[in-house]
Amino acid sequence: MFLISERLELLKKYKPLEFNRKPRTLAELARWKATEFRTFLVYVGPVVLENIVNLAVYEHFLLLYCAITIFLSSRHISVVGINIPSKFLDVFITHSVKIYGAEFFVHNVHALCHLEEEVKAYGPLDEISSFPFENYLGHLKRLVRSPVNPAAQIYRRIKEKSNITEAVSLLQQNVPQHFGQHTIGPVMSELNICKKVVFGNFTFCTKNHSSADSYFISTDHKVVQVENIITNSENCTILIGKEFMDYSDYYNYPFESSCLDIFIIRSLDNVNQFWPINKILAKCLVIPSYRKQKELVCFPLVHSLC
């Protein structure tokens, strides 16, 4: 328990902007929010648990981890298929009784065997998630200024905000927004330079501005560390960065992690290259591996996969 908590504590500085909460230790497990459990299951769990829990327990967790990760993303489903994660969940359910006892086999565990049907009927889990509704409750709470007629206050604030036209809202979502003009880092001449770009539902920063938000995986499956962000004369966003040169699978059970674009990465190139924003496959969470020094583990953020 102490080692797991220690690793969770160390991961705080690697949290991208898209993660609402920093990792907390197991001492605070009773107060974890749903998003914290999601982060553990979909991202950091394999790294945090490795070589601490029993191998059978670890591989059992990987079955659930891989299945849920695939079901979250339409791209993963199209690449891997919908039957493979279902098979992983069948094995997970069967082995859960052997590992944890019959008391572990509660309704929520049984419900996992129906996920394939739900995904076929309604789409990837991210598209039918209740997280947006839960997050919006916080937004509604901030609209209330006094205890008198809270519902009326919320209605008026929402009505005021809806005066912004739908066209403007759509434009903001699909056109990169640039922040933090600066004059450092590798550039081409006579171009606009910035520290941060917001595009759709994810944000990239230069390494000097926010290291945790400076990694992406390209459409040719290369992991890149962003050194600078520029716009050219045609207002196209270009990211300048360095590729990692050495890649290997982080795990091989229940299948190779590279099937989900999850890698151990090493050896950052010292040559800067250029990527237009349409060559980005996903933003990445990059955290240390506990196997060897200077090894990092790269996880694409599921919601940013193109």
Side-chain angles (χ1 to χ4, degrees), residues 15-77:
K15 180 190 80 72
L17 290 169
E18 290 77 9
F19 288 27
N20 293 327
R21 295 177 177 272
K22 293 181 179 181
R24 290 193 283 179
T25 68
L26 294 185
E28 299 183 82
L29 185 63
R31 292 180 290 279
W32 278 24
K33 301 296 184 181
T35 55
E36 293 172 272
F37 285 105
R38 174 191 165 95
T39 299
F40 190 92
L41 174 60
V42 181
Y43 297 107
V44 303
V47 176
V48 170
L49 296 177
E50 187 180 26
N51 295 328
I52 294 179
V53 299
N54 178 279
L55 180 61
V57 172
Y58 183 70
E59 292 188 342
H60 186 249
F61 172 80
L62 286 179
L63 287 164
L64 179 64
Y65 165 82
C66 290
I68 298 302
T69 301
I70 295 167
F71 277 149
L72 280 169
S73 165
S74 56
R75 183 180 185 278
H76 285 335
I77 293 170

Side-chain angles (χ1 to χ4, degrees), residues 30-247:
R31 292 180 290 279
W32 278 24
K33 301 296 184 181
T35 55
E36 293 172 272
F37 285 105
R38 174 191 165 95
T39 299
F40 190 92
L41 174 60
V42 181
Y43 297 107
V44 303
V47 176
V48 170
L49 296 177
E50 187 180 26
N51 295 328
I52 294 179
V53 299
N54 178 279
L55 180 61
V57 172
Y58 183 70
E59 292 188 342
H60 186 249
F61 172 80
L62 286 179
L63 287 164
L64 179 64
Y65 165 82
C66 290
I68 298 302
T69 301
I70 295 167
F71 277 149
L72 280 169
S73 165
S74 56
R75 183 180 185 278
H76 285 335
I77 293 170
S78 67
V79 171
V80 178
I82 202 167
N83 295 324
I84 288 179
S86 294
K87 292 177 181 177
F88 292 167
L89 289 177
D90 288 342
V91 177
F92 176 84
I93 293 167
T94 302
H95 287 186
S96 64
V97 177
K98 298 177 182 178
I99 295 175
Y100 300 111
E103 63 274 11
F104 184 82
F105 195 69
V106 295
H107 175 75
N108 284 346
V109 175
H110 167 76
L112 293 172
C113 68
H114 297 292
L115 280 186
E116 180 182 351
E117 303 165 29
E118 302 300 319
V119 171
K120 284 180 177 178
Y122 304 110
L125 298 181
D126 247 2
E127 296 181 12
I128 56 175
S129 168
S130 62
F131 279 103
F133 301 97
E134 181 184 10
N135 291 339
Y136 197 66
L137 288 175
H139 171 72
L140 294 179
K141 184 178 178 181
R142 288 190 291 273
L143 300 180
V144 178
R145 306 296 173 82
S146 75
V148 180
N149 298 326
Q153 293 181 57
I154 291 172
Y155 171 79
R156 286 195 294 269
R157 299 294 87 76
I158 292 175
K159 189 67 176 176
E160 290 167 3
K161 292 190 176 184
S162 68
N163 291 333
I164 301 174
T165 66
E166 191 173 319
V168 171
S169 178
L170 187 62
L171 181 65
Q172 290 177 341
Q173 290 177 12
N174 291 282
V175 176
Q177 301 173 60
H178 304 84
F179 303 88
Q181 186 173 354
H182 69 105
T183 57
I184 59 174
V187 296
M188 296 180 290
S189 61
E190 298 182 2
L191 295 172
N192 294 321
I193 315 163
C194 61
K195 298 177 181 178
K196 179 172 75 172
V197 58
V198 178
F199 185 74
N201 58 359
F202 53 95
T203 300
F204 289 111
C205 299
T206 61
K207 180 181 181 295
N208 288 334
H209 184 64
S210 174
S211 178
D213 296 285
S214 67
Y215 297 97
F216 69 84
I217 184 166
S218 65
T219 51
D220 59 352
H221 305 281
K222 297 294 185 181
V223 180
V224 179
Q225 184 181 77
V226 178
E227 300 287 334
N228 224 340
I229 302 167
I230 60 176
T231 54
N232 62 19
S233 57
E234 298 175 351
N235 205 34
C236 295
T237 299
I238 299 171
L239 276 64
I240 304 176
K242 298 174 180 176
E243 287 184 358
F244 285 86
M245 306 302 293
D246 190 5
Y247 299 79

